[in-house]
Amino acid sequence: YDNTETIDLWTAWEAVSQLPVGEMMKSWTEQMGFPLVTITKEEFDSDSKTITLELEQSWFLADGSSPTTKEEEDKLWTIPILIQTPNGPLEDMTLMRDKTATVTIPFDDNNNKFWIKLNGGQEVPMRVQYSTTLFERLSDAILLQNTTTSDDDSKNYDVSPVDRVGLLQDTYALVKANKVEPLTLVRLLTSFQGERDPIVWQGLSDVLKGLGHILSEDKTLNPLYQQFVSSKLVAPLMKHIGWDASQEEEEDHLTSILRGTLLSLVSTFCASDPDIQNEAKKRCEAFLAGDTTSLSSDIKVPVFQLYLRNGGDKEYDTIKKYYYNAPDNAERKHVLNSLGCIPSSDLKKKTMEWTSFSDDVKLQDFFYAMGSVSRSDT
């Protein structure tokens, strides 16, 4: 294979697609990082029913720092600007080669349900920062589709699951980079009330836990955030999904994934709920007594975590004992991923010492317990 080079692949794709693949790929593979595309200006034309957007690209640095050299400031990517609207993807693709670019899009300003999503389908590794107006339209569209019935005309304006996750992850990244106010992210999160897509919930889970970890030391904001996530997002859907698969009809795989994701969030944000505590305790103790039907594998870790979050020495020793009685290593990992949720600082320390210095825990597995300690905010 020494007779071929990367450029040969780009050249072949370019010949087939009639697009400047080589130019585009060079900008992505021969320099570090990826861009942030910011909508710096928008102009509506009510006569032609269009909107013109002015875009600017820059090197996105996740820690919020700025480029330190002129060369870094001048970094450019050849960016395919893929645009999604309620009418579908825009057929004409713009290649953004320079620092700035302008795109004109069919847009009905009088229709308050109309939205624009840059990087439609999340095809390009980049971040997007919207203007306030366009961001609010997207947020409103997501809220609308999560709070209306399937036969409602509003469903014609749905934002796809991948674009909902994309908007959420972009906003979270921009908040951490200090480019967007945290309140903007919280307002976006309210749009996901009623969300039921398992893939979206996996993205939501990452953001909710990440933001919760950031706020964990704030004694004023953290309780309010915990209450918001619990009452507005997690608990209502948990009541619908339930702890067990339906006995009346076969459950699809994605619903099972959603239940596991939700219960993981329940263990983080709803652990103080008495009903949740009692249910987790009942199921955990029944399982440890030999009733394997009380805990399916997809909810075992969050139930163990709930049991520990509201426990002490007795509960800790009970879960740790299961490590030695577990039938296989997958079950032992469930224990390691849970032990750090115990509230006691002494027991957390005991967990780290046990996994670090005991021959009972395999070297390649000790980081599971370490991770459970580091992720625990109790």
Side-chain angles (χ1 to χ4, degrees), residues 134-245:
L134 295 183
F135 184 85
E136 288 177 351
R137 280 180 175 265
L138 269 170
S139 300
D140 291 345
I142 294 171
L143 177 61
L144 187 64
Q145 73 186 76
N146 282 328
T147 54
T148 54
T149 58
S150 59
D151 58 349
D152 192 289
D153 178 63
S154 299
K155 289 295 175 180
N156 295 328
Y157 296 91
D158 279 3
V159 183
S160 71
V162 68
D163 281 330
R164 300 202 295 276
V165 174
L167 177 65
L168 186 63
Q169 292 179 335
D170 279 354
T171 306
Y172 180 48
L174 290 168
V175 167
K176 290 194 294 181
N178 202 31
K179 293 182 179 295
V180 168
E181 291 295 324
L183 185 58
T184 301
L185 175 59
V186 174
R187 286 173 177 165
L188 176 60
L189 288 171
T190 64
S191 298
F192 289 88
Q193 298 177 69
E195 178 65 62
R196 293 192 178 186
D197 187 279
I199 306 304
V200 175
W201 266 101
Q202 287 186 323
L204 260 174
S205 177
D206 292 341
V207 172
L208 291 172
K209 289 180 178 179
L211 188 56
H213 188 72
I214 293 171
L215 296 175
S216 62
E217 299 299 322
D218 192 312
K219 295 182 179 180
T220 301
L221 289 179
N222 188 48
L224 297 174
Y225 177 71
Q226 296 272 331
Q227 176 63 24
F228 161 72
V229 175
S230 174
S231 62
K232 299 298 184 182
L233 298 174
V234 178
L237 186 56
M238 189 62 208
K239 289 180 181 178
H240 172 76
I241 296 294
W243 293 71
D244 298 302

Side-chain angles (χ1 to χ4, degrees), residues 60-115:
F60 178 73
L61 296 170
D63 63 357
S65 60
S66 300
T68 56
T69 67
K70 182 72 164 57
E71 181 182 4
E72 290 177 347
E73 289 179 359
D74 293 340
K75 286 176 72 165
L76 293 175
W77 288 260
T78 301
I79 308 172
I81 302 298
L82 306 174
I83 297 173
Q84 185 80 21
T85 74
N87 297 329
L90 204 66
E91 292 185 3
D92 296 330
M93 179 187 70
T94 299
L95 274 180
M96 185 176 185
R97 293 179 167 94
D98 301 318
K99 185 73 172 176
T100 61
T102 301
V103 293
T104 300
I105 307 161
F107 189 88
D108 186 358
D109 188 30
N110 294 320
N111 184 348
N112 59 12
K113 298 177 185 176
F114 203 92
W115 49 265

Side-chain angles (χ1 to χ4, degrees), residues 39 41-55 81-94 101-109 114-120 128 130-131 134:
I39 299 175
K41 186 178 180 181
E42 61 198 38
E43 287 187 3
F44 297 99
D45 188 328
S46 56
D47 294 330
S48 62
K49 290 189 175 181
T50 60
I51 181 173
T52 299
L53 305 179
E54 292 187 8
L55 312 177
I81 302 298
L82 306 174
I83 297 173
Q84 185 80 21
T85 74
N87 297 329
L90 204 66
E91 292 185 3
D92 296 330
M93 179 187 70
T94 299
T102 301
V103 293
T104 300
I105 307 161
F107 189 88
D108 186 358
D109 188 30
F114 203 92
W115 49 265
I116 292 173
K117 171 70 171 61
L118 264 64
N119 198 17
V128 178
Y130 293 89
S131 65
L134 295 183

